[in-house]
Amino acid sequence: MLDVVIIGAGVSGAFIARKLARYELKIALFERETDVGNVTSNANSAIIHSGYDPVPHTLKALLNVRGNAMYDTIADELDVHFNRCGSLTVAVSDEQMSMLSDLVKRSEENGVPVKLLTAEEVIKMEPHINKEVKGALLAPTAGVIDPFNLVVHCVENAVDNGVELHLSEPVIDIKDNGDYFVIKTNKGEYQSKVVINAAGLYSDKIASMIEDIDWKLVPRKGEYFVLDHYDVGLVNHTIFPLPSAKAKVYLFQ
C-alpha cells in the first residue's frame, strides 16, 4: 500500500513529490512519457513571471508573487540556472501608455515592485528596441529559468529522498474503494491512500476516472521563432508588447 500516488511528472508533480519526500511516506510518481518534464514543462517560455498581471486578490495573483520570491532559493538548492533579468512591458502608442498606467495600479495591489519608464530610459536599457517606443513597465523581479533541468533536478531530489519514479507508465484507470484507491497502469495495479492529479494536459481525463466532471481542458499552442541567441546584448530583459486584438501577447527574451 502506497501513501501517495502522484500522476504526472511535469513541474507541478515534480515539486509536489519533492515536498512530500520530506515526510515518512511511501510515494510513487507516475509519468506516461519516457522522461520527466517532457511535455508542457519542457516546451514553455521559461519565464518566472513577476505577478503584476493577474487580477488582484485572486489565488493566481497570490501564488504568482509568492512563487516568484522562492526561485532564488529553489535555483540554489537544485543547482539550476536562474536569471532574474526583469521584464519590460512595452507601449508604442499614447493609448498603450494609458494601459501601462492601469498596470501600475494592478501591480501595487498585487504587491509587485514596478517602475514606469520613459522612452529614453527604455532605449538605454534595450538599445535594439523599436525606436517608436513610448515607454515601458519594468518589473525587476521577473526572470527566466532552465525549465527542463528544473524538473529533472527536482525529481532527482525527490527520488534521492525515497520517491519511486515510474516512467513510460500511463495511468489507464482509477477505482475509489472508499479507504483507498486502486490505480491501474499499463504495467500493473497499485493501491494508494491518496491520489494527486498533476497530469497537466491529461488532468481532465484522470479526474474523470474517479468521478463525473463538468469541465474539460482545451489546450492552446503558441509559436517560437528562435533567433541568434548567442548574440550577447541583443535582448537584456524579457520584453512583452501589450496584448492586441489579434493576439494575447508576443514576447522576446
Side-chain angles (χ1 to χ4, degrees):
M1 173 74 71
L2 294 162
D3 292 302
V4 181
V5 159
I6 304 166
I7 303 171
V11 68
S12 297
F15 271 100
I16 292 169
R18 180 175 184 253
K19 182 70 172 183
L20 292 180
R22 301 178 183 183
Y23 303 91
E24 293 184 4
L25 298 169
K26 294 182 66 176
I27 305 165
L29 176 60
F30 289 89
E31 172 55 52
R32 64 181 290 125
E33 301 292 327
T34 58
D35 203 351
V36 303
N38 233 16
V39 188
T40 308
S41 298
N42 186 30
N44 65 84
S45 62
I47 298 171
I48 305 301
H49 291 275
S50 64
Y52 75 78
D53 186 54
V55 176
H57 313 300
T58 61
L59 183 62
K60 180 178 180 179
L62 175 67
L63 296 183
N64 191 161
V65 177
R66 286 186 179 180
N68 175 286
M70 297 169 64
Y71 263 92
D72 295 294
T73 299
I74 289 170
D76 182 62
E77 290 179 349
L78 295 178
D79 191 25
V80 177
H81 178 67
F82 172 55
N83 180 15
R84 200 177 283 281
C85 57
S87 68
L88 293 174
T89 304
V90 178
V92 292
S93 70
D94 293 335
E95 180 184 2
Q96 288 188 342
M97 283 300 296
S98 177
M99 293 172 65
L100 288 186
S101 296
D102 292 338
L103 287 178
V104 171
K105 298 175 184 177
R106 177 172 287 196
S107 303
E108 292 172 351
E109 288 192 68
N110 285 337
V112 177
V114 296
K115 181 182 179 182
L116 197 57
L117 303 179
T118 64
E120 292 76 16
E121 289 173 318
V122 177
I123 292 172
K124 185 176 180 180
M125 298 174 73
E126 293 289 351
H128 298 98
I129 204 162
N130 181 355
K131 297 305 184 286
E132 295 181 7
V133 62
K134 298 290 186 179
L137 184 70
L138 170 65
T141 59
V144 292
I145 200 161
D146 180 343
F148 180 70
N149 277 324
L150 173 65
V151 178
V152 169
H153 290 199
C154 193
V155 174
E156 285 178 345
N157 183 246
V159 170
D160 286 344
N161 287 285
V163 173
E164 301 175 6
L165 176 61
H166 298 251
L167 294 175
S168 300
E169 192 166 352
V171 171
I172 56 179
D173 190 35
I174 303 173
K175 298 295 184 186
D176 183 355
N177 279 4
D179 294 331
Y180 65 93
F181 296 90
V182 177
I183 301 96
K184 184 178 180 181
T185 74
N186 63 333
K187 297 181 180 179
E189 288 189 354
Y190 306 84
Q191 297 179 351
S192 180
K193 300 172 186 175
V194 174
V195 173
I196 297 176
N197 180 0
L201 295 176
Y202 302 96
S203 57
D204 53 347
K205 294 179 176 60
I206 295 298
S208 65
M209 294 178 184
I210 299 175
E211 61 183 359
D212 293 331
I213 60 174
D214 59 1
W215 54 274
K216 68 176 181 177
L217 292 181
V218 181
R220 293 288 185 265
K221 286 186 177 182
E223 293 180 328
Y224 289 100
F225 292 90
V226 180
L227 305 177
D228 186 359
H229 57 293
Y230 296 106
D231 190 355
V232 177
L234 179 64
V235 178
N236 300 310
H237 302 76
T238 296
I239 300 177
F240 298 105
L242 282 161
S244 70
K246 294 182 179 180
K248 179 181 179 183
V249 73
Y250 300 91
L251 62 92
F252 304 89
Q253 63 186 90

